[in-house]
Structures are given as C-alpha cells and as structure tokens.
Amino acid sequence: MNAAVPPRARRGPPRCPGAVAAACVSALVLLPLGAVALRAGGPASGGAGAALAPADWAAIRFTLWQAALSATLSIALAVPVARALARRRFPGRAAVVTLMGAPFVLPVIVAVLGLLAVFGRGGLLNDALGALGLPRVSIYGWPGVVLAHVFFNLPLATRILLQGWQAIPAERFRLAASLNAPVGRLLEIPMLRAAAPGAWLLIFLLCLTSFAVALTLGGGPRATTVELAIYQALRFDFAPGRAALLAAVQVALCLAAVTASRAVAIPSAWGAGTGRVVERWDARGRAARIRDAAWIALAAGFLLLPLGMVAARGLPGLADMPGSVWAAAGRSVAVALASTALALAAALALALRGGRAAALAGALPLAVSALVLGTGLFLIVRPFVSPLDVALPVTVIVNALLSLPFAAGLLAPAVAQVEAGHGRLADSLGLTGWRRLRILLLPGLRAPLGFAAGLATALSMGDLGVIALFAGEAQETLPLAMYRLMGAYRMEAAAGAGLLLVALSLGLFWLFDRGGRHARA
C-alpha cells in the first residue's frame, strides 16, 4: 500500500544506488571469505581439514599476546596524557591535540623507518647506550612490534579518553569541589570504566590485523603474527590451503573482537551541562603542573622524534633513490585516487539509502583484514589469470573496502543532518532524486566528503598489505618499493622514499580536506 511508504522515502534522494552498493560491498567481502572457508576445509589442499601446525598455533598465541600487550600499554600510557590535556590550557595545545591524529594517516612503513632511526641498531638510543658503555638493544622481534603498535595507538587512545574527560560537564567538577570530594574516584574512574574497555578492544582489533609492522619488525618463530604467517604461506611456501586456514582463524578472531567491542560500548550517563570551560581545582599546585607537563612532553617527543628523523635522513636520501621509486610513486597515487573514488561513491550511496542494511554493509569490511581479503581474491582469480596481472586492480578494490567504514561513518550523519535541516523545504520545492542530490545534498556534504576523501587517499597511499601478496617489480607501489629498499639495506634511499611517501600522503590529505572545507556552492 502506498500509505505504508513514508513520503520522504518517495521524494528524497536517490536510493537505488545504495542497494547496488550494499550488494557489491557484501559480495566483495563475503565471496573472498567464502573462498577462504572452502579452501580451508576442502580436501588435499594443504589446509584440507587438517589441524593447524605447531608453528601456526605459535603465530596465533603471539598475535593475541602482542595485541593484548600493545592495547594495555597504549591505554595505560594514554590515561595520564589525556588527563593532562584535559586539565591544562596552554599555547599550542590545539597543535598537540592535532598531532595525536597524525599517526592514523601516517604510512606505517614510514613510521617504522622513523622508529628504526631512533631505536634500531644504528639509532639514537643505541648510540647513546654505546657512548655510556651499556649493551645495545634490538628493536626486532616482539619488542619492536609492541613499540610500533604503541606508537600508532597511543594517540588514538589519548583522543578517545580525552573525549571522555571533555564529556564530563563542568558542573560535576564544581559540585565535587564544593563537597571537597575526590574528583578521581567520583568522576574520572567511572568515566574510564565506561570508555577504556571499548578503546582497549578497538586497539586490540587494530593490532590483530596489523601486517606491515609484523612484516618489517617481526618474523622468526617467536614473532610471527597470523597475518605474517598468511603472507609467508602464499608468497614463499605457496600453500594456499594453509593460508586459507589461517585466514579463517583471523576472521574468527576479528569477529570476536568486533562483537566484544559492541557488547562493552556504554553510552554516556553524564547528562548535559551548560558548556562552560572546566576549571580543574584539583589540578592546582606546582607538582601537578610539572607532572602534567612531563606527560605531555614525553608523548609529544615520542611521536615527533621518529618523524623528525625521517625528515632529517630523507632529505639527503632523495638523491640516492633509484628511478623505479618515482614510477612506484606514480602507481601509488593512481591506486589511491581510484580506490578513493570507489570508496566515496559506495559510502555516499549507502548514506543516501540509509537504514540498517546500508549501515551493516558499510561496517562489514571492519570484520576482515586486507590480507584475508587478498587471500580470498587470490584463490578466486588464480584459476583464471595470473595474480600479477590483477595486482593493482585488486589493490584498488581492497583499499576501497578498507576505507569504506570510515567514509560511510562520516557521510551518513552528515546526510541525516542536511535532510533534517532542509529536507522539508526541498520537498516543498519538488526536489527529488538526482536533482535533490545535486542541488541540496552535495553542497552541504562538501566538508565531510573532502575529509573522507583525504582520509581514504592517505590510507591507500600508505598501504602495504595486499600489494605485497600480488605485486612483482613492475607493479610495486611506493610503500612496497620502500620496504624492498630497507630489505636491501639501502637505508638512505629508503629514507628518501619515506619522505616522498609522507609528502604525497599528507599533501593529498590536505588538498582534499582543504578543498572540502573551503568549497562554495
């Protein structure tokens, strides 16, 4: 019956593309997973209903252990840093908070190179230890994997917990001060009980699916993750059955982490305040100021020093780069732009359609990693075409899928906001379908579209996942070229390639983000 269809559903923006996008995304995620499941359980494949080998169980244990340790250290260190930022107002505070978001768009391989420059065998730390006559330390193995994960996830944990502190109304702090009640026990601990478990599980999930860190800093029997074991099974052992079995295990671990993170999500119970700036009476005193300043300085130094070393070593290394690096940079830009276009088209279509099915399709790629998707696609295409021939198209598709949840998460609420503000006026003017999209929605969505495009482009530029499975020398992207230079111990050239990668990634991010924010209808 027509009466059962809401007027906005008939008169609103085009919804058919959203159904197509949801179907395509679901197929691109579920079909590779189906190929993985069939190969993992099929006969005579090397993973054919066979039990996991002792080395596989060791990889599973190490994956869970390093993810748990990395998440715990990230949260434990983020608590005092976020508390210090919440309690202090100082010149440059906004820049420090912005810095906390930089590692998320920073190419992983570049950050690893920076960490090696500080903590590696020839890094600043070992040089200082040698000058003092102390034994040198090694970053390779589990210490390097955990250190790199903390580097990437400490800023994320800090931003999440800082939002928790800022969500506590100023009136609660005023009430605690008037009652001379302990702020930590009354306000901060309850906030951390609500925010920290979800943040821990999110970081745990990110560490479960981290590949480039394990590839560059891990390895060996004691520091092999499930992702790295999948890569080794396909790239070196050519055992697709074993890779499929490990990929199925990886999917199960990710699904368990996603389910747990949703189960522990606790909505804010603070209520609304008047929006006053919080004056923290408990933060007065010289000792408190010194302690907060020390935590902020240590966190900023931990993030800035490796990046500064990349810049310092990368400038002279630009002259040492082989010509193939520039070709790889061109391929990276082309792959990033193509994957961004696909991710934005799918995210916008899903946001325009709305509803639970669209939201589920947009979040579906979170349950799998790039290497699992790459393994499934490898199994699908191998009987028909050489994986080398489809390396770049497969990379574009996988990068678009992995960027989709972030883009959809940005666009869906923006579409709802535009419709809530101007939807009735558009209805009265007869704006429907594509005209409504062109005249009403796209001008109102330029800022989130620009930010989503910048984020998707930066994530794709720094990806060293599925391309490592498929690519030969003629298909290598800039992160893969940089990794191969590091493997050949051409560290100066690798530093130059890393500086080029950072410049391209952050430049494209800034270009899209600024274009969205400053565009005019």
Side-chain angles (χ1 to χ4, degrees):
M1 295 176 60
N2 291 335
V5 181
R8 184 63 53 84
R10 296 195 303 269
R11 306 177 63 183
R15 292 166 56 86
C16 182
V20 175
C24 290
V25 170
S26 300
L28 288 171
V29 174
L30 297 178
L31 286 178
L33 291 182
V36 165
L38 288 175
R39 191 55 183 265
S45 62
L52 293 167
D56 300 330
W57 284 111
I60 295 171
R61 287 192 297 270
F62 177 75
T63 300
L64 295 172
W65 176 81
Q66 62 83 21
L69 180 59
S70 300
T72 301
L73 289 175
S74 298
I75 295 295
L77 294 173
V79 169
V81 177
R83 187 171 188 255
L85 289 170
R87 300 202 303 182
R88 302 297 168 190
R89 297 293 183 271
F90 53 90
R93 180 182 181 275
V96 172
V97 175
T98 301
L99 172 66
M100 295 297 173
F104 190 73
V105 297
L106 185 71
V108 175
I109 190 68
V110 175
V112 169
L113 185 64
L115 291 172
L116 287 171
V118 177
F119 302 100
R121 292 191 181 101
L124 298 180
L125 177 61
N126 276 321
D127 288 346
L129 293 175
L132 296 173
L134 298 174
R136 294 176 176 265
V137 297
S138 174
I139 194 177
Y140 293 99
W142 72 264
V145 172
V146 172
L147 178 68
H149 283 160
V150 172
F151 176 84
F152 284 108
N153 295 307
L154 171 61
L156 175 63
T158 300
R159 291 290 294 267
I160 293 174
L161 297 183
L162 180 59
Q163 290 178 0
W165 256 287
Q166 292 174 339
I168 303 175
E171 291 73 21
R172 297 297 183 99
F173 287 101
R174 293 174 62 88
L175 178 61
S178 66
L179 297 175
N180 198 26
V183 171
R185 182 174 60 83
L186 188 66
L187 300 177
E188 294 178 326
I189 291 179
M191 182 277 295
L192 289 173
R193 286 175 178 169
W200 189 93
L201 281 166
L202 174 62
I203 295 171
F204 180 81
L205 177 62
L206 293 174
C207 295
L208 279 182
T209 57
S210 172
F211 170 67
V213 169
L215 180 65
T216 52
L217 297 176
R222 296 185 178 180
T224 296
T225 61
V226 174
E227 295 261 301
L228 188 54
I230 295 171
Y231 170 75
Q232 292 169 346
L234 284 177
R235 190 73 178 181
F236 300 112
D237 302 334
F238 198 73
R242 177 169 169 261
L245 188 59
L246 288 167
V249 171
Q250 179 77 327
V251 170
L253 295 176
C254 291
L255 288 175
V258 170
T259 303
S261 65
R262 291 183 179 273
V264 303
I266 301 175
S268 172
W270 296 113
T274 59
R276 296 181 182 179
V277 176
V278 177
E279 183 179 353
R280 296 294 299 271
W281 291 271
D282 61 307
R284 294 174 178 173
R286 183 178 180 183
R289 287 195 297 270
I290 293 175
R291 184 168 58 249
D292 288 347
W295 278 112
I296 293 172
L298 286 172
F302 178 56
L303 297 176
L304 285 176
L305 188 56
L307 301 184
M309 292 299 295
V310 169
R313 295 188 175 183
L315 286 173
L318 291 173
D320 294 334
M321 294 190 311
S324 59
V325 170
W326 295 101
R331 281 189 288 270
S332 285
V333 172
V335 167
L337 294 178
S339 65
T340 298
L342 285 178
L344 287 187
L348 182 59
L350 293 174
L352 293 176
R353 182 168 184 83
R356 183 173 297 180
L360 179 61
L364 189 60
L366 286 175
V368 293
S369 70
L371 218 59
V372 171
L373 287 175
T375 301
L377 292 172
F378 175 87
L379 295 173
I380 291 173
V381 304
R382 190 168 67 94
F384 309 102
V385 64
S386 169
L388 288 176
D389 296 335
V390 294
L392 295 180
V394 167
T395 301
V396 168
I397 293 172
V398 173
N399 286 350
L401 288 174
L402 296 180
S403 301
L404 177 62
F406 303 104
L410 289 167
L411 294 180
V415 168
Q417 184 177 2
V418 173
E419 282 288 335
H422 305 285
R424 290 183 181 276
L425 176 60
D427 290 343
S428 67
L429 295 175
L431 291 179
T432 61
W434 295 104
R435 291 181 65 241
R436 189 188 192 100
L437 174 64
R438 178 174 57 85
I439 297 174
L440 172 67
L441 290 170
L442 286 182
L445 295 176
R446 281 179 174 170
L449 273 172
F451 182 70
L455 186 60
T457 305
L459 292 175
S460 180
M461 281 294 301
D463 176 68
L464 182 61
V466 67
I467 192 67
L469 283 178
F470 289 89
E473 291 186 4
Q475 297 86 18
E476 69 177 7
T477 57
L478 188 51
L480 184 57
M482 183 181 169
Y483 168 70
R484 288 173 174 171
L485 288 172
M486 293 171 64
Y489 297 101
R490 300 181 62 182
M491 302 306 291
E492 293 296 328
L499 186 59
L500 176 62
L501 180 55
V502 169
L504 289 173
S505 299
L506 298 185
L508 288 170
F509 175 82
W510 175 83
L511 186 65
F512 280 113
D513 184 35
R514 185 180 184 276
R517 286 187 286 111
H518 293 276
R520 292 291 182 267

